Amino acid sequence: MRFLRHSLTGLFLMAVTLGLIVYAGSVLRDAVVARMTEEPRMPQARERVFAVNLVTATPETITPVLTAFGEIRSRRTLEIRAATTGTVVDLAEDFEDGAVVTRGQVLARIDPANAQSAFDRAGNDLRDAEVAARDAERAVAIARDTLAAAEEQAALQQRAYERQVDLRDRGVGSASAVESAELSVAASRQSVLSARNALAQAETRVETAANALTRSRIAQDEAQRDLDDTTIRAEFDGTLTGTTAVQGGLVSANEQLAQLVDAGALEVAFRVSTTQYARLLNDQGRLLQAPVRVTLDVQGIALTADGTITRDSAAVEQGQTGRRIFARLDTSRGLKPGDFVTVSITEPPLQDVVRLPATALDAAGTVLAITGEERLEPLQVSLLRRQGDDVLVRGKTLAGREIVAQRSPLLGAGIKVRPLRSEPPPRTEEPAETALVELTPERREKLKEFITSNDRLPDDIKTRILAQLDADRVPAAMIRRIESRMGG
């Protein structure tokens, strides 16, 4: 009975297992059939939207600023040279590089012994010429008196001859007396001629003495100039540089002793491209007298000066391009010849132009504007200037449009975007980089004390900064930089 029960149980479990397998196969078959017979469903596509920053194109009148680099030069530099050969017997105490001298100040003296001797000899020769001139004038006077006496004697002899002729005609006189009288007349005439010749020679002697006197005076003037040339003076107010003379040293004629630089007559020479040069021309093709600002950045402290364009180079130097322009500086406090500076030139103002970020413009000269459906539309514009990170453009349909500030390769015509508009930050009344402010005595002394005690600054830079701090009005940017390093 137990065996039969176990056998029936096994058959029952086998039948259940087979039934489940058949049912599972049927379900799987129905699922495959249903999957194969149903239509495929495509997912619904969604348009991608990009977020963009927008700026409003507002036409305005903007004055562009052209930036270039140049070198400070002195408009008046004099080479101090020795005009004569000799030994330097006297030298100014401040005859050294960087010394400030005034006009007419004695800088050096060369041994004047030879020049003084030549001047004395010229003086003696002049006095001899004056004596000879006076003697010639006296000789002329004597020759004139001699000629007058000879003419009187000739007149007497002529009257005596005429009397003898008259006596002979009346039968009273003799022929021998007439002949003697005639010979006397001839001799008197010869005396007159001799006197005239002597007068002519005396007058010639006067002219010769006058010429000799003139030559003597010229020689004395030359000797005086040679004597004056032994004393070397400053021709104008300036600063000495390149000094080589020493007291007791022997110098030759035309040897350079130093250079005198007028630190108050500075100019800046800078080079611009031909395109930039064309922007600085007026309607007549002449160079504009545009204002410039020169900046020398010294370890974050800027030395500035204002000036005006005066001229440009007559020709393009060999191997160079563009144009070289010169600007005269009105104030040059702290600047020195040879400084490499940044030059900012104020160009003529441009009307109806739009300032945009440089990232808004592509290489094809187009910008992307947003439409009413928040899609992008390309606009063609003309690039007028580049001003740092901004560009100045002009377009017919640009006014009032919202422009994409930062372009990317993903943005193009017809792209759906999500605009990000931000209000422009309020303008603060902070002083500009070029503003000048007045300092109180306490603040001025505090700044000067900090600069003087700063061991990291070279002496020449300290001198320039202190020179600018001594001015009535000081650049605000320089004050901010100094005070930021002071911690105040």
Side-chain angles (χ1 to χ4, degrees):
M1 291 297 293
R2 182 180 300 173
F3 175 76
L4 181 61
R5 188 172 58 253
H6 289 168
S7 299
L8 292 174
T9 302
L11 291 173
F12 174 76
L13 292 175
M14 182 179 295
V16 172
T17 302
L18 291 174
L20 291 175
I21 291 174
V22 172
Y23 176 75
S26 175
V27 171
L28 179 61
R29 184 183 62 80
D30 294 341
V32 171
V33 172
R35 181 65 176 174
M36 296 179 65
T37 56
E38 69 180 0
E39 295 181 359
R41 293 183 302 170
M42 299 298 295
Q44 185 178 1
R46 298 180 58 187
E47 184 178 7
R48 189 174 181 182
V49 179
F50 297 92
V52 293
N53 294 318
L54 301 180
V55 293
T56 303
T58 304
E60 55 184 332
T61 300
I62 300 177
T63 302
V65 177
L66 175 63
T67 302
F69 299 96
E71 181 183 5
I72 299 295
R73 298 173 28 173
S74 176
R75 293 187 289 109
R76 187 163 58 167
T77 301
L78 175 65
E79 293 183 351
I80 301 177
R81 296 181 178 271
T84 183
T85 302
T87 304
V88 179
V89 296
D90 188 16
L91 201 63
E93 184 177 355
D94 54 353
F95 192 85
E96 55 190 1
D97 287 356
V100 178
V101 297
T102 58
R103 180 179 181 180
Q105 179 179 346
V106 176
L107 303 179
R109 295 182 189 275
I110 301 175
D111 189 2
N114 296 334
Q116 185 65 48
S117 299
F119 177 75
D120 295 339
R121 286 194 298 268
N124 292 332
D125 294 341
L126 177 60
R127 286 189 290 272
D128 291 341
E130 291 175 348
V131 171
R134 289 193 297 269
D135 183 62
E137 291 176 355
R138 288 193 295 268
V140 168
I142 294 174
R144 285 173 180 167
D145 294 341
T146 302
L147 176 60
E151 289 176 347
E152 291 177 358
Q153 187 177 5
L156 291 175
Q157 295 293 338
Q158 182 66 29
R159 286 195 297 271
Y161 169 72
E162 291 174 355
R163 186 168 52 253
Q164 291 296 330
V165 171
D166 183 61
L167 291 175
R168 186 193 61 180
D169 293 340
R170 288 186 296 173
V172 179
S174 61
S176 61
V178 173
E179 291 178 357
S180 298
E182 188 175 1
L183 291 174
S184 299
V185 170
S188 62
R189 289 177 180 173
Q190 184 65 36
S191 299
V192 171
L193 291 177
S194 298
R196 287 179 178 174
N197 186 31
L199 178 59
Q201 292 179 355
E203 290 176 346
T204 302
R205 182 181 172 188
V206 169
E207 294 177 357
T208 303
N211 292 335
L213 181 61
T214 302
R215 286 193 296 269
S216 298
R217 288 173 177 168
I218 293 174
Q220 187 186 40
D221 293 339
E222 290 179 351
Q224 181 65 55
R225 286 195 297 271
D226 292 340
L227 182 60
D228 294 339
D229 288 340
T230 59
T231 302
I232 301 175
R233 301 178 182 272
E235 295 296 328
F236 50 84
D237 297 346
T239 305
L240 293 177
T241 182
T243 56
T244 58
V246 293
Q247 188 169 354
L250 181 64
V251 296
S252 59
N254 203 37
E255 179 179 347
Q256 181 174 331
L257 306 181
Q259 281 188 339
L260 182 61
V261 179
D262 189 352
L266 297 183
E267 66 179 7
V268 58
F270 57 95
R271 187 175 297 277
V272 297
S273 65
T274 306
T275 303
Q276 294 171 337
Y277 174 78
R279 300 172 187 168
L280 299 176
L281 300 178
N282 57 17
D283 297 337
Q284 290 75 31
R286 298 181 180 274
L287 187 64
L288 293 173
Q289 306 296 314
V292 301
R293 166 148 290 197
V294 173
T295 305
L296 174 63
D297 193 356
V298 184
Q299 295 187 0
I301 301 175
L303 302 178
T304 60
D306 296 326
T308 306
I309 292 178
T310 56
R311 67 192 189 281
D312 58 346
S313 58
V316 180
E317 295 85 348
Q318 185 176 4
Q320 300 290 338
T321 59
R323 300 292 185 269
R324 196 177 191 189
I325 300 178
F326 302 88
R328 181 176 300 181
L329 300 182
D330 301 329
T331 58
S332 56
R333 188 180 297 272
L335 297 176
K336 298 292 183 181
D339 283 338
F340 187 74
V341 296
T342 303
V343 185
S344 301
I345 307 100
T346 303
E347 299 184 26
L350 299 177
Q351 298 181 352
D352 298 331
V353 296
V354 177
R355 182 187 295 271
L356 295 175
T359 54
L361 184 68
D362 64 356
T366 61
V367 295
L368 295 177
I370 189 172
T371 63
E373 299 177 355
E374 295 186 348
R375 295 186 179 276
L376 296 181
E377 174 189 6
L379 297 179
Q380 188 70 34
V381 296
S382 299
L383 176 62
L384 302 180
R385 299 288 190 278
R386 290 188 180 274
Q387 300 287 287
D389 295 333
D390 297 334
V391 291
L392 304 182
V393 297
R394 182 182 291 160
K396 295 182 179 180
T397 60
L398 190 61
R401 299 294 299 273
E402 291 183 320
I403 308 299
V404 177
Q406 292 86 23
R407 298 190 59 160
S408 70
L410 299 178
L411 301 180
I415 297 296
K416 182 75 172 179
V417 295
R418 178 167 55 88
L420 300 178
R421 301 179 178 89
S422 60
E423 295 294 332
R427 294 185 178 181
T428 58
E429 299 298 331
E430 295 181 357
E433 291 292 327
T434 59
L436 300 177
V437 297
E438 295 182 359
L439 295 177
T440 61
E442 296 79 7
R443 190 179 183 186
R444 189 189 307 273
E445 290 299 327
K446 186 177 179 181
L447 294 174
K448 293 174 64 176
E449 181 180 358
F450 173 76
I451 295 298
T452 305
S453 60
N454 193 340
D455 298 333
R456 293 181 298 176
L457 288 176
D459 294 337
D460 57 341
I461 296 178
K462 286 184 181 180
T463 303
R464 300 181 189 184
I465 298 176
L466 292 175
Q468 277 210 330
L469 290 176
D470 287 333
D472 296 335
R473 297 172 65 84
V474 184
M478 185 177 69
I479 297 176
R480 290 199 301 271
R481 292 190 183 99
I482 296 177
E483 290 182 342
S484 64
R485 285 163 173 74
M486 295 170 57

